[in-house]
Amino acid sequence: MRYTSTAIEALIEEFAKLPGIGRKTAQRLSMHILQEKPGEVEKLSRALTDVKEKVISCSICQNVTDRGDDPCSICRGKGRDLSKICVVESPPDVLAFEKTAQYRGLYHVLHGVISPLDGVGPDDIKVKELLARLSLQDGREVSEVIMALSPTVEGETTVLYVSRLLKPLGIEVTKIARGIPVGAELEYIDEATLSRAMEGRSVL
Amino acid sequence: MRYTSTAIEALIEEFAKLPGIGRKTAQRLSMHILQEKPGEVEKLSRALTDVKEKVISCSICQNVTDRGDDPCSICRGKGRDLSKICVVESPPDVLAFEKTAQYRGLYHVLHGVISPLDGVGPDDIKVKELLARLSLQDGREVSEVIMALSPTVEGETTVLYVSRLLKPLGIEVTKIARGIPVGAELEYIDEATLSRAMEGRSVL
């Protein structure tokens, strides 16, 4: 069953292609757009094409940045600890760490993890760029690379792969702790996490 | 905390303005757009502006239709029962009835209901257009106007208002039944609905 307007049908179809948006939500969004001011819709439409035209990867950390703003604001940032690089999978992870306001080092975005099942090998993610960066003049300052990938099989594989590449360079490779999240109740934590928490216990 | 790309921040902000989409979802959608093919993003962007440029109200039933496709496909439709008009609040309601594949009459979309609290009076919805339509040559065939509005205070007010206008014209005004939905369990139905179901009981 289709709307009497093909333009609305087209918009519903496009919205429904987005992740987590089904046909019902797409319908509601389209009805909202229909009633929205033309200027507002124009802004959304412009923002969409802008992202494809203006966003590039930072030549240093591979995080997203705007054309004409390379290296990105974090790589250029003052007061950053240049001796640490935190390796993450995707741009939102950088944001997550920045929100902690604790970590003040640099980042490196891999844009993926090694996943042979999905046909993603070491050359498909930004590992080469990490190595290149470490061998540059600025990279010599780096003493620690912190692997902050998701605790999945693919994440752990990538951690192992990168650490084997970096250790011969005399750089310390660490990975973030797996353990019980703050605020969680012990009895509801799964066995794997509890085991990791026990292994990673620290002296008081 | 903001992304290192202003273009991405702008897109997240625009997405987050849509109903039911918070900042987290807006972030996920923006990351999806970033990785999507430029052609696909262009299609979504085009579909958005198209809706504002091409969609108009059908001059007869006020439902959405495309410029150059007026009257809409339902008003022009063959095999339609021209003696019945089903009055609904918004375009998705038309779709909902069309999906039943039972009702074959015409529609009239009010684009709202009378709601004094929100400053919506009878002149702000398409009641005039309904009256005008009934007094036209084609409108003379109409013998029944079916009010299919949501069972809210505003909906009921609108039903009353429209029925008082139409009765002097000698047109039968009906409203759709309130009762227990198909598949529901009696014990979980609220009192108001049960009362309405009892009032509206039919002889077997």
Side-chain angles (χ1 to χ4, degrees):
Chain A
M1 196 53 58
R2 298 169 72 83
Y3 270 85
T4 41
S5 155
T6 53
I8 292 183
E9 269 302 324
L11 182 59
I12 292 175
E13 237 166 68
E14 291 303 323
F15 268 136
K17 284 181 190 166
L18 297 175
I21 294 192
R23 182 158 167 107
K24 277 266 166 184
T25 310
Q27 263 186 41
R28 209 181 62 233
L29 292 178
S30 302
M31 282 300 132
H32 171 82
I33 293 293
L34 196 64
Q35 279 147 22
E36 189 57 283
K37 289 188 216 85
E40 284 295 312
V41 178
E42 185 58 44
K43 269 161 74 180
L44 173 55
S45 168
R46 181 79 47 85
L48 280 163
T49 47
D50 269 6
V51 157
K52 297 311 284 186
E53 282 164 17
K54 292 191 186 157
V55 177
I56 56 169
S57 288
C58 168
S59 58
I60 299 179
C61 72
Q62 310 298 324
N63 192 7
V64 288
T65 187
D66 292 333
R67 209 175 282 280
D69 197 27
D70 182 21
C72 75
S73 55
I74 293 180
C75 288
R76 283 184 285 113
K78 279 176 187 149
R80 287 274 165 182
D81 179 353
L82 303 179
S83 70
K84 290 185 178 61
I85 292 182
C86 176
V87 177
V88 296
E89 181 179 342
S90 63
D93 301 339
V94 172
L95 203 67
F97 274 105
E98 284 296 285
K99 273 188 189 152
T100 67
Q102 279 261 334
Y103 178 74
R104 299 300 300 160
L106 301 171
Y107 294 93
H108 190 85
V109 182
L110 291 179
H111 289 280
V113 282
I114 298 172
S115 173
L117 280 180
D118 302 316
V120 181
D123 294 341
D124 300 317
I125 61 177
K126 310 286 185 183
V127 174
K128 278 189 311 291
E129 287 78 357
L130 176 61
L131 289 173
R133 180 177 175 185
L134 291 169
S135 61
L136 283 177
Q137 186 62 39
D138 289 353
R140 301 260 163 77
E141 291 184 40
V142 177
S143 60
E144 182 181 359
V145 167
I146 304 158
M147 302 300 294
L149 304 179
S150 297
T152 57
V153 175
E154 293 80 12
E156 300 288 0
T157 308
T158 312
V159 167
L160 260 176
Y161 178 83
V162 173
S163 71
R164 281 195 193 154
L165 284 178
L166 297 190
K167 273 185 184 160
L169 305 178
I171 296 169
E172 188 175 28
V173 184
T174 57
K175 75 172 181 181
I176 56 169
R178 279 80 166 95
I180 51 171
V182 176
E185 293 201 46
L186 257 191
E187 58 174 323
Y188 300 120
I189 303 288
D190 64 293
E191 296 79 9
T193 304
L194 270 187
S195 307
R196 299 295 192 86
M198 188 61 86
E199 281 170 27
R201 66 189 180 276
S202 56
V203 180
L204 290 176
Chain B
M1 197 51 59
R2 298 168 72 84
Y3 271 85
T4 41
S5 156
T6 53
I8 292 183
E9 269 302 324
L11 183 58
I12 292 174
E13 237 167 67
E14 291 302 323
F15 268 135
K17 284 182 190 166
L18 297 176
I21 294 192
R23 181 157 168 109
K24 277 265 166 185
T25 310
Q27 263 186 40
R28 210 182 61 233
L29 292 178
S30 302
M31 282 300 132
H32 171 83
I33 293 294
L34 197 64
Q35 279 146 22
E36 189 57 284
K37 289 188 216 86
E40 284 295 312
V41 178
E42 185 58 44
K43 270 161 74 180
L44 172 55
S45 167
R46 181 79 46 85
L48 280 164
T49 47
D50 269 7
V51 157
K52 297 312 285 186
E53 282 164 17
K54 292 191 185 156
V55 178
I56 55 169
S57 289
C58 168
S59 58
I60 299 179
C61 72
Q62 311 298 325
N63 192 7
V64 288
T65 188
D66 292 334
R67 210 173 281 280
D69 197 28
D70 182 21
C72 76
S73 56
I74 292 180
C75 288
R76 282 185 286 112
K78 279 174 186 150
R80 286 275 166 181
D81 180 353
L82 304 179
S83 70
K84 290 184 178 61
I85 293 182
C86 176
V87 178
V88 295
E89 182 178 340
S90 64
D93 301 339
V94 172
L95 204 67
F97 275 105
E98 284 296 286
K99 274 188 189 152
T100 66
Q102 278 260 335
Y103 179 74
R104 300 299 300 160
L106 302 171
Y107 294 93
H108 189 85
V109 181
L110 291 180
H111 288 281
V113 282
I114 298 171
S115 173
L117 280 180
D118 302 316
V120 181
D123 293 341
D124 300 316
I125 61 177
K126 309 287 184 183
V127 174
K128 278 190 310 291
E129 287 78 357
L130 177 61
L131 289 173
R133 179 177 175 185
L134 291 169
S135 61
L136 282 177
Q137 186 62 38
D138 290 353
R140 302 260 162 77
E141 290 185 40
V142 177
S143 60
E144 183 180 358
V145 168
I146 304 159
M147 302 300 294
L149 304 179
S150 296
T152 57
V153 174
E154 293 80 12
E156 300 288 0
T157 309
T158 312
V159 167
L160 260 176
Y161 179 83
V162 174
S163 71
R164 281 195 193 154
L165 284 178
L166 297 189
K167 273 185 185 161
L169 305 178
I171 296 169
E172 189 175 28
V173 184
T174 57
K175 75 172 180 181
I176 56 170
R178 278 81 166 95
I180 51 172
V182 176
E185 293 200 47
L186 257 190
E187 59 174 322
Y188 300 120
I189 303 289
D190 64 293
E191 296 79 10
T193 304
L194 270 187
S195 306
R196 299 296 192 86
M198 188 59 87
E199 281 171 27
R201 66 190 181 276
S202 56
V203 181
L204 289 176

